[in-house]
Amino acid sequence: MAHVPVLLDEVIRWLRLDPAGTFVDCTLGGGGYAEAILKHLTTGRLIAIDRDPRAIEAARERLRPFGNRIIYWRASYSEIGRLWEWLGEPPGTVRIAGMVADLGVSREQLEDPGRGFSFLTDGPLDMRLDPEQPMTAARIVNHYGEKPLAELIFRFGEERRSRRIARAIVRARPVVSTRKLAEVIERAAPRTPRERIHPATRTFQALRIAVNDELGELEKLLEAAPPLLASGGRLVVVSFHSLEDRLVKQALRRWAGSGVLEILTKHVIRPGEGEVRSNPASRSARLRAAEKRMN
Ligand SMILES: C[S@@+](CC[C@H](N)C(=O)[O-])C[C@H]1O[C@@H](n2cnc3c(N)ncnc32)[C@H](O)[C@@H]1O
């Protein structure tokens, strides 16, 4: 059975689904949100985006019963501004009733050793969501200079020991597998007694963000999404670390400041204890929602 995606009930509640509306799932992934949205639709439709073709193929199988209520778009969500062009419809013919983005990687991607996202299994240092892009984690790890590598680990991983880790990586080159990288990091920056997470966690996060330009992607999405919404249409974003959440918070504030959006979540929404217990990966999830003001 497919697992329950993070904050599913909250996402559905904040989207306030209109059965006849057009919705966009910017991060289809395993299709959990998409399935729940589609169950609420009668004449409405769902446009489902993912930059990972394998995610789309798997979700297509799962969501077959919904027929042509779902339209798949293999793309980066930063391209959302091209939605009408891609649909072949004149711009603005149909306004979007709700849009959701559930950032980061899916469990399917994380648990596939061949994708190289996790240090818990051994695999190639890949980490690409889009398998056709040239940049991989191995390229960064083996070709960046020590200083830019340290800066990247510090900035995207918020890792205080970035310099020490970068030095150790450069000395250990070539580093081609996830396990070897995790070992190099662990040796350079051993776990302190107060540390809850594995010493490689932050560096792996940093590499993933860099490989997929995750923050750049998110900024572009947050810039392009609000104009596509109908009056009363909602934007719901689930993020997983403070770098993402900060961008979401700032962008929503900017749009609220110019009168385009109204922020609905005065405080960020987090999973309850029960959800964290049954799905520990949800512990860092944060949801923010906003509504489009009258045009
Ligand atoms: C956390 S998962 C989504 C899980 C989904 N909500 C579910 O219910 O199964 C994130 C998905 O977003 C995709 N993704 C990440 N960044 C993307 C981007 N910039 N553009 C399009 N898809 C992206 C990933 O490939 C992944 O499949």
Side-chain angles (χ1 to χ4, degrees):
M1 219 187 66
H3 70 274
V4 180
V6 174
L7 287 170
L8 175 65
D9 293 344
E10 295 283 352
V11 164
I12 298 303
R13 187 161 74 83
W14 288 104
L15 275 177
R16 201 186 40 188
L17 295 165
D18 160 12
T22 297
F23 292 84
V24 179
D25 182 350
C26 299
T27 52
L28 175 64
Y33 286 2
E35 183 174 56
I37 294 169
L38 285 158
K39 280 184 182 159
H40 282 80
L41 301 185
T42 51
T43 54
R45 60 182 172 167
L46 175 70
I47 297 152
I49 302 174
D50 206 295
R51 73 199 294 196
D52 179 358
R54 277 189 254 172
I56 295 206
E57 279 328 300
R60 211 187 272 280
E61 213 33 60
R62 173 175 185 180
L63 303 171
R64 203 175 291 283
F66 299 98
N68 56 11
R69 294 248 151 272
I70 178 162
I71 303 165
Y72 299 93
W73 185 13
R74 180 190 164 189
S76 294
Y77 51 57
S78 57
E79 294 175 59
I80 191 82
R82 294 201 303 112
L83 182 64
W84 305 125
E85 190 190 320
W86 176 77
L87 281 170
E89 292 175 11
T93 15
V94 185
R95 291 271 172 179
I96 302 300
M99 226 184 253
V100 60
D102 177 16
L103 307 175
V105 292
S106 66
R107 190 184 290 198
E108 290 79 3
Q109 290 162 336
L110 195 65
E111 289 177 355
D112 180 348
R115 306 293 296 261
F117 288 111
S118 169
F119 48 79
L120 298 176
T121 48
D122 201 16
L125 273 177
D126 189 317
M127 300 198 192
R128 287 173 299 181
L129 292 171
D130 173 358
E132 281 169 20
Q133 71 169 44
M135 177 60 84
T136 63
R139 219 159 144 161
I140 296 177
V141 163
N142 293 301
H143 297 284
Y144 271 36
E146 186 178 319
K147 195 154 175 252
L149 185 58
E151 276 163 13
L152 182 152
I153 296 170
F154 181 71
R155 182 155 167 244
F156 296 146
E158 299 183 292
E159 170 61 85
R160 285 177 300 107
R161 295 167 297 183
S162 56
R163 286 213 203 107
R164 216 188 304 165
I165 292 172
R167 196 176 318 129
I169 291 174
V170 169
R171 284 195 189 141
R173 280 171 179 172
V175 181
V176 291
S177 75
T178 51
R179 192 147 286 158
K180 166 127 189 243
L181 179 60
E183 279 166 17
V184 170
I185 297 168
E186 208 170 356
R187 240 179 290 127
R191 200 183 204 133
T192 59
R194 281 190 299 134
E195 220 169 14
R196 277 179 22 237
I197 56 172
H198 187 283
T201 310
R202 292 198 175 87
T203 302
F204 270 65
Q205 172 184 303
L207 289 170
R208 205 195 78 205
I209 292 177
V211 167
N212 298 294
D213 184 24
E214 291 183 20
L215 301 180
E217 281 287 311
L218 179 57
E219 275 179 344
K220 289 183 197 135
L221 171 71
L222 294 166
E223 205 44 47
L228 299 173
L229 290 171
S231 298
R234 292 190 165 184
L235 175 64
V236 179
V237 184
V238 178
S239 62
F240 286 86
H241 51 78
S242 52
L243 296 170
E244 287 172 346
D245 185 52
R246 204 172 305 145
L247 288 183
V248 177
K249 188 164 133 187
Q250 287 167 351
L252 295 188
R253 282 206 182 139
R254 261 196 320 275
W255 284 112
S258 54
V260 175
L261 293 181
E262 183 187 341
I263 297 172
L264 301 173
T265 46
K266 298 289 173 247
H267 301 287
V268 75
I269 309 290
R270 312 193 70 148
E273 269 175 39
E275 178 165 0
V276 174
R277 215 173 307 120
S278 59
N279 176 14
S282 72
R283 71 182 180 278
S284 45
R286 301 172 175 105
L287 180 152
R288 293 185 190 270
E291 184 173 299
K292 180 87 174 273
R293 291 255 181 102
M294 299 291 275
N295 284 311

